[in-house]
Amino acid sequence: MKDEDYNIPEDQDYTSAVSAYDCTGLIPAGTVHEKELEAYKELYPFGAPDMSSQEIAQMREKNKKDASDSAKQ
């Protein structure tokens, strides 16, 4: 089907929006309390995943190696 079939002006065609399932605007102004943040995360998991100190150390080591490899090129 085409937009012409429904007489939808091109600038008002929201049917193919990429963020149709994103929770953009979920937290409009940030949170003050930890419990409020936890409630938002129950609705929609977001943010960086929790990592152990070992995982963080491995990631930092990999980043250092990648940076030195890039500098050599």
Side-chain angles (χ1 to χ4, degrees), residues 14-22:
Y14 303 111
T15 57
S16 61
V18 177
S19 63
Y21 298 103
D22 288 346

Side-chain angles (χ1 to χ4, degrees), residues 2-35:
K2 301 177 206 158
D3 290 342
E4 302 93 47
D5 297 338
Y6 295 100
N7 295 324
I8 300 172
E10 187 176 326
D11 63 335
Q12 294 178 2
D13 180 16
Y14 303 111
T15 57
S16 61
V18 177
S19 63
Y21 298 103
D22 288 346
C23 286
T24 55
L26 176 68
I27 306 172
T31 59
V32 179
H33 305 288
E34 188 68 27
K35 289 191 182 246

Side-chain angles (χ1 to χ4, degrees), residues 43-62:
L43 291 173
Y44 187 77
F46 61 91
D50 294 332
M51 297 172 64
S52 69
S53 55
Q54 181 182 5
E55 291 172 316
I56 293 170
Q58 288 173 343
M59 183 180 67
R60 287 184 178 154
E61 199 59 41
K62 181 184 180 307

